[in-house]
């Protein structure tokens, strides 16, 4: 069996999340001694692995190679407007677009991050076979205790090392999530809130950034940056907060758990079998409750679940992830043999 890993993407439309996902797939296949290629036109392969709805056009899917199983991984990259399944239909309301759904249904198989994500996809109208594979985490990237890059983020931002950091990842079109984070930050003036976002719409980004800069001194709205800086940020963050208007942050949450970071989330922004309330993080129905939860946590009235989250994430090492991915590919090949 030989796998084609799609890497010929438009760098304008691709960014941090799907870049890491592609690298993870290549790395874990190498760890499993699985033969793969990144050359599409000249190589023979059994399985073609894609990562966003923009990796192939409908025409390319219609004309796909015979005897090749096309697989797409979805709901891992929702922080990227250009490749996300969710799109904004009105303020605070997101849904899967019909064109995106049509493209997903043109693939032979789908990989998603959790059982709840699978249920959601079926409910939305995904008709092909869906496999569940939690995003694997390369633990060594976030074990920075003795690393020279441990304090890169502090140096880059000019922050004191005693600064309390809280990280979020929010698309620049999700203005409701920005408003929610502003409401949270108002209650915690001593915390530095780091909001990561890939810039697709420069006008919207500048408008959002200007609003944040003008109104709140403790929110830093930053374009997503180099991997070493990102790893340093997660390593030094005390909290990760998810307040998005759609299911998101799948990869970032797993990486935050490995980084020993406390997770707080708004219901509907995360899949409930990835952030499990009171098991590996705290999930709230509204912002008022979430704010109170953070206050209780900072006042030691709410127990830290950092260690529990780390143990949960430890189940999904890149090695385990690789073995499970090979099982999925083997199952796909078995179906092909029996057809």
């Amino acid at each position: 069996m030989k796998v084609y890993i799609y890497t010929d993407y438009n760098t304008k439309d691709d960014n941090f999340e799907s870049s890491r996902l592609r690298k993870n797939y290549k790395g874990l296949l190498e760890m499993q001694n699985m033969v793969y290629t990144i050359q599409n036109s000249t190589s023979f392969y059994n399985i073609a692995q894609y990562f966003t709805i923009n990796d192939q056009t409908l025409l390319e899917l219609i004309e796909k190679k015979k005897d090749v199983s096309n697989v797409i991984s979805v709901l891992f990259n929702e922080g990227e407007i250009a490749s996300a399944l969710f799109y904004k239909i009105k303020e605070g309301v997101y849904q899967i677009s019909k064109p995106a759904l049509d493209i997903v249904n043109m693939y032979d198989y789908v990989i998603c991050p959790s059982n709840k994500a699978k249920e959601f996809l079926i409910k939305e109208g995904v008709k092909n076979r869906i496999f569940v594979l939690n995003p694997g985490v390369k633990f060594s990237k976030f074990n920075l205790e003795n690393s020279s890059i441990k304090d890169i983020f502090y140096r880059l931002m000019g922050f004191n090392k005693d600064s309390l950091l809280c990280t979020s990842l929010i698309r620049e079109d999700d203005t409701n999530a920005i408003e929610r984070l502003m409401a949270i930050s108002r209650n915690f003036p001593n915390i530095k809130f780091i909001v990561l976002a890939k810039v697709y719409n420069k006008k919207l980004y500048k408008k959002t950034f200007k609003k944040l800069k003008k109104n709140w001194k403790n929110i830093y709205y930053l374009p997503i940056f180099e991997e070493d800086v990102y790893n340093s940020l997660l390593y030094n963050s005390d909290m990760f907060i998810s307040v998005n208007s759609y299911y998101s942050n799948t990869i970032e949450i797993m990486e935050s758990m490995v980084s020993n970071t406390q997770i707080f989330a708004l219901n509907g922004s995360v899949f409930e079998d990835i952030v499990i309330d009171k098991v590996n993080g705290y999930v709230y129905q509204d912002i008022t409750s979430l704010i109170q939860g953070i206050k209780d946590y900072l006042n030691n009235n709410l127990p830290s679940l950092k260690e529990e989250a780390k143990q949960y994430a430890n189940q999904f090492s890149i090695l385990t992830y690789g073995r499970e991915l090979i099982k999925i590919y083997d199952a796909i090949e078995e179906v092909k043999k029996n057809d």
Side-chain angles (χ1 to χ4, degrees), residues 232-243:
S232 172
L233 167 61
L234 285 194
Y235 177 81
N236 289 293
S237 291
D238 189 65
M239 293 175 282
F240 184 95
I241 294 181
S242 179
V243 291

Side-chain angles (χ1 to χ4, degrees), residues 153-154 159-167 190-194 220 232-240 261:
F153 185 76
Y154 287 119
F159 290 163
N160 188 298
K161 288 185 183 179
D162 295 329
S163 301
L164 195 61
L165 304 181
C166 176
T167 303
N190 296 323
I191 296 177
K192 296 185 185 302
F193 291 85
I194 313 301
Y220 301 82
S232 172
L233 167 61
L234 285 194
Y235 177 81
N236 289 293
S237 291
D238 189 65
M239 293 175 282
F240 184 95
T261 302

Side-chain angles (χ1 to χ4, degrees), residues 143-156:
N143 183 16
L144 304 182
E145 184 57 40
N146 300 311
S147 171
S148 60
I149 69 168
K150 180 174 72 171
D151 298 326
I152 281 180
F153 185 76
Y154 287 119
R155 294 199 297 271
L156 177 72

Side-chain angles (χ1 to χ4, degrees), residues 78-264:
E78 293 305 306
E80 305 176 17
I81 294 175
S83 58
L85 294 189
F86 286 104
Y87 82 108
K88 185 176 182 178
I89 57 173
K90 63 180 181 180
E91 205 60 61
V93 180
Y94 287 73
Q95 68 180 32
I96 293 182
S97 70
K98 185 167 188 314
L101 184 62
D102 288 342
I103 288 176
V104 171
N105 276 325
M106 288 296 293
Y107 281 84
D108 300 304
Y109 300 94
V110 174
I111 296 175
C112 71
S114 76
N115 285 310
K116 291 296 182 183
K118 179 178 178 178
E119 290 174 13
F120 173 77
L121 289 170
I122 293 170
K123 182 182 174 184
E124 289 295 310
V126 173
K127 296 179 173 60
N128 30 23
R129 183 170 178 183
I130 302 171
F131 293 96
V132 173
L133 186 62
N134 194 293
V137 183
K138 193 173 182 180
F139 301 142
S140 59
K141 291 200 308 184
F142 302 96
N143 183 16
L144 304 182
E145 184 57 40
N146 300 311
S147 171
S148 60
I149 69 168
K150 180 174 72 171
D151 298 326
I152 281 180
F153 185 76
Y154 287 119
R155 294 199 297 271
L156 177 72
M157 298 299 294
F159 290 163
N160 188 298
K161 288 185 183 179
D162 295 329
S163 301
L164 195 61
L165 304 181
C166 176
T167 303
S168 293
L169 189 145
I170 299 174
R171 279 176 13 190
E172 76 260 39
D173 69 332
D174 194 353
T175 47
N176 274 31
I178 295 293
E179 294 290 343
R180 293 181 193 117
L181 196 73
M182 288 170 69
I184 294 169
S185 71
R186 191 184 302 124
N187 288 267
F188 305 99
N190 296 323
I191 296 177
K192 296 185 185 302
F193 291 85
I194 313 301
V195 183
L196 302 177
K198 172 64 178 177
V199 179
Y200 287 102
N201 184 327
K202 288 187 178 180
K203 280 188 178 180
L204 183 57
Y205 171 78
K206 287 178 180 178
K207 181 180 176 182
T208 305
F209 182 75
K210 188 175 180 181
K211 184 178 181 182
L212 290 176
K213 195 172 183 181
K214 181 179 178 182
N215 291 283
W216 310 112
K217 304 289 186 184
N218 60 333
I219 296 181
Y220 301 82
Y221 195 67
L222 306 173
I224 294 174
F225 30 56
E226 290 80 5
E227 193 169 0
D228 284 353
V229 181
Y230 170 82
N231 295 348
S232 172
L233 167 61
L234 285 194
Y235 177 81
N236 289 293
S237 291
D238 189 65
M239 293 175 282
F240 184 95
I241 294 181
S242 179
V243 291
N244 301 62
S245 301
Y246 50 88
Y247 293 118
S248 58
N249 296 328
T250 303
I251 295 175
E252 290 75 24
I253 284 169
M254 295 302 299
E255 291 173 339
S256 294
M257 288 179 178
V258 168
S259 303
N260 208 38
T261 302
Q262 179 61 54
I263 309 295
F264 289 93

Side-chain angles (χ1 to χ4, degrees), residues 39-67:
Q39 301 297 322
N40 187 8
S41 57
T42 59
S43 300
F44 170 78
Y45 47 85
N46 311 85
I47 293 172
Q49 175 68 60
Y50 298 89
F51 302 93
T52 82
I53 56 173
N54 290 327
D55 286 354
Q56 289 195 97
T57 65
L58 273 173
L59 182 60
E60 287 171 327
L61 284 163
I62 291 167
E63 297 176 345
K64 59 191 176 185
K65 293 182 180 181
K66 291 180 180 179
D67 302 321

